[in-house]
Amino acid sequence: MKKGINIWSFAEGTSIEDSITLAKKAGFDGIELSLNASGELGLDASDKDIRQIKSYLEEAELEIAGLATGLYWDYAMTSEKADNRNKAIDICKKQLEVAAALGVDAILVIPGAVGVDFIPGSEVVAYDTAYERAQEAIASLVPYAKSAGVSIAIENVWNKFLLSPLELKNFIDSFQSEYVGSYFDVGNVVHSGYPEQWVRILGHRIKKVHFKDYRREAGGLHGFVDLLAGDVDYPAVMQALRDIGYDNYVSAEMIPPYKHYSEQIIFNTSAAMDAILGRSSK
């Protein structure tokens, strides 16, 4: 398995070039970038912009570990508003296009939500309606994913949707496509389940993995802690990943970064991942 770090782990305002440089210095194999509304890698990103980012990676001898986006929290495939749903689909198409240009094999996709507690005023959608809309949206995107050669990987997040590994497995299988899979987030299931069980049930469907840790007794968003400081049984998770033959990127998503000496979280996370992966510290 390869060791990656998500760009959201860096202090706000850190450029892509500086993030790449720091990730390399900390001993990561790759960096997971994010498609944003605007900026260096925005929805209006040109071929020139993509080439520039690729040059940063090549100069640092760092790989691209994945392509995420936070835009699905603003635009949901399950929204009650058709314009919102259509925007989410357009975002996914752009994400697939950018991923193909960067050489990414899978993108992180949030297929919508029934409700989102941590976003004030977030709309609540009937579960069965959300399921149907998400299924319809992803089905419409499968041909684009196949054409791009990039998989749509569904992330398990706190969206009150696809709440069990069995449900997520069945949702993925309903598309009967190798271009739809799971972007499995280890830390996101700890409040209600056991990530090693999710890994074994999802099996070959897992395209990418996020590493986080979570302390159950803290609860809520405050439960997310540094790797190895929470309740994730990482030895069991690693064994499960090995058992299913997973050998792609495991990328740490450390949100939020430290308030002070923010670069230190990158080095601490790298060292923790070396321990988890059984590597000698660099």
Side-chain angles (χ1 to χ4, degrees), residues 67-223:
L67 183 65
T69 183
L71 294 175
Y72 295 118
W73 294 119
D74 296 317
Y75 303 99
M77 296 179 189
T78 53
S79 175
E80 298 287 12
K81 301 173 183 176
D83 287 349
N84 200 308
R85 298 197 299 271
N86 292 333
K87 178 70 172 180
I89 290 171
D90 287 342
I91 288 168
C92 191
K93 290 177 182 177
K94 179 65 176 182
Q95 203 180 354
L96 288 166
E97 176 189 318
V98 171
L102 286 171
V104 179
D105 55 354
I107 60 170
L108 184 156
V109 174
I110 298 172
V114 172
V116 185
D117 289 343
F118 56 85
I119 299 179
S122 177
E123 65 180 349
V124 176
V125 180
Y127 204 118
D128 54 347
T129 300
Y131 196 97
E132 291 168 6
R133 287 175 179 165
Q135 204 167 36
E136 181 181 352
I138 298 299
S140 74
L141 288 161
V142 169
Y144 294 91
K146 185 175 181 180
S147 177
V150 178
S151 294
I152 293 169
I154 308 297
E155 188 184 28
N156 51 293
V157 294
W158 288 8
N159 54 355
K160 300 182 184 292
F161 184 49
L162 303 177
L163 294 172
S164 83
L166 295 173
E167 188 180 3
L168 180 55
K169 173 187 171 184
N170 290 336
F171 182 80
I172 290 169
D173 287 351
S174 72
F175 302 103
Q176 299 182 324
S177 172
E178 63 181 310
Y179 289 99
V180 181
S182 163
Y183 212 116
F184 180 62
D185 189 302
V186 172
N188 282 351
V189 303
V190 179
H191 73 298
S192 62
Y194 302 92
E196 59 271 23
Q197 295 182 5
W198 281 67
V199 169
R200 287 198 165 87
I201 290 169
L202 293 173
H204 69 275
R205 299 165 188 83
I206 296 177
K207 305 289 186 180
K208 296 282 185 182
V209 173
H210 265 171
F211 272 11
K212 291 206 293 274
D213 213 330
Y214 189 82
R215 190 174 294 155
R216 292 188 183 96
E217 64 184 12
L221 294 176
H222 297 293

Side-chain angles (χ1 to χ4, degrees), residues 13-93:
T14 306
S15 69
I16 290 176
E17 183 179 16
D18 288 345
S19 297
I20 288 171
T21 300
L22 184 55
K24 180 66 176 182
K25 184 179 179 182
F28 286 95
D29 302 312
I31 187 169
E32 180 182 70
L33 299 179
S34 170
L35 179 68
N36 303 314
S38 59
E40 291 183 274
L41 188 56
L43 291 173
D44 59 352
S46 64
D47 291 343
K48 182 180 178 181
D49 295 326
I50 301 300
R51 286 196 299 271
Q52 182 63 68
I53 292 169
K54 289 181 76 172
S55 74
Y56 294 150
L57 291 163
E58 289 164 4
E59 288 168 15
E61 297 182 336
L62 196 74
E63 292 183 347
I64 177 90
L67 183 65
T69 183
L71 294 175
Y72 295 118
W73 294 119
D74 296 317
Y75 303 99
M77 296 179 189
T78 53
S79 175
E80 298 287 12
K81 301 173 183 176
D83 287 349
N84 200 308
R85 298 197 299 271
N86 292 333
K87 178 70 172 180
I89 290 171
D90 287 342
I91 288 168
C92 191
K93 290 177 182 177

